Amino acid sequence: MLAAIGQLAAVFVGIPSLIYLAVQIREQTKERRQAAVNVLTAQWGDLTCALHESAEFSAIYLRGVQSFHDLDAVSKLRFSAFQNRFFKNFEGMYYSRCDGILTPELWGEIERTMSDFLAYDGVRQWWETRKHWHTEEFRRVVDAIIARGDKPRAYSTYNLREIAAPGHAHEGSR
């Protein structure tokens, strides 16, 4: 009888401990998720710096989204290096979504951003040259977005015809 009372007491003491442990694990999971989102946000910010810090690169980028094939070799290299970082970042975000780190709402925002970029011929042309650098699963995600055939809107209010090739106009870089 005394042993049964001891076991019952252990259960009553153990239940609050298990509840406490579950709450701690849940809080740690939230903190890890937030830390991961913060890292992804910082990586995104670092990546997009190239667009606002260099008028020369911004011009290359805007020409590249129109037609990757029409860029000169150096511009193709720069555009491609940027796009590779961009899409590796997207791929990391995709797998963060698969692992439950990113919420469906955050992934939806990322997917809409990808859709905007992938609506441009130049980005699609670049993707065809470099998609083999990505996982098969992520390639399916990108190819499905492309297959939707979204219309280019991200830069629809820009006059992209104003962007001249290097040497044809001053592009604001020093």
Side-chain angles (χ1 to χ4, degrees):
M1 173 89 163
L2 204 50
I5 292 173
Q7 288 176 346
L8 189 58
V11 167
F12 285 125
V13 170
I15 289 175
S17 296
L18 288 175
I19 292 170
Y20 176 78
L21 180 61
V23 168
Q24 290 301 313
I25 290 172
R26 183 176 176 194
E27 287 303 312
Q28 288 175 353
T29 300
K30 281 169 102 175
E31 289 172 11
R32 279 196 313 269
R33 180 176 291 140
Q34 188 58 51
V37 169
N38 290 344
V39 167
L40 291 169
T41 301
Q43 288 173 346
W44 181 264
D46 291 345
L47 179 60
T48 59
C49 279
L51 293 172
H52 62 81
E53 290 180 350
S54 170
E56 176 192 4
F57 181 72
S58 293
I60 290 169
Y61 180 78
L62 289 172
R63 285 194 316 274
V65 298
Q66 294 173 80
S67 175
F68 178 68
H69 297 314
D70 289 345
L71 292 174
D72 62 87
V74 172
S75 295
K76 277 183 180 177
L77 178 64
R78 292 180 74 187
F79 182 86
S80 187
F82 179 83
Q83 288 298 99
N84 187 55
R85 286 185 62 207
F86 219 36
F87 277 79
K88 285 295 184 184
N89 194 281
F90 285 142
E91 187 170 17
M93 291 177 183
Y94 169 73
Y95 284 108
S96 291
R97 171 63 192 120
C98 292
D99 292 340
I101 295 168
L102 290 179
T103 64
E105 294 82 14
L106 286 173
W107 173 248
E109 179 183 329
I110 293 159
E111 189 174 18
R112 287 187 302 277
T113 303
M114 290 173 57
S115 296
D116 276 351
F117 294 126
L118 287 162
Y120 286 89
D121 289 339
V123 177
R124 291 176 180 187
Q125 292 164 1
W126 170 82
W127 176 251
E128 285 303 314
T129 70
R130 296 295 185 271
K131 68 182 180 179
H132 64 282
W133 288 1
H134 297 270
T135 64
E136 198 171 309
E137 184 174 345
F138 182 69
R139 287 194 313 251
R140 283 193 298 269
V141 169
V142 173
D143 289 341
I145 292 170
I146 290 171
R148 291 194 313 237
D150 294 341
K151 299 294 179 214
R153 295 184 324 213
Y155 308 111
S156 62
T157 61
Y158 300 23
N159 186 352
L160 296 178
R161 289 181 296 278
E162 290 177 350
I163 306 301
H168 293 113
H170 178 66
E171 296 170 325
S173 64
R174 298 184 201 274

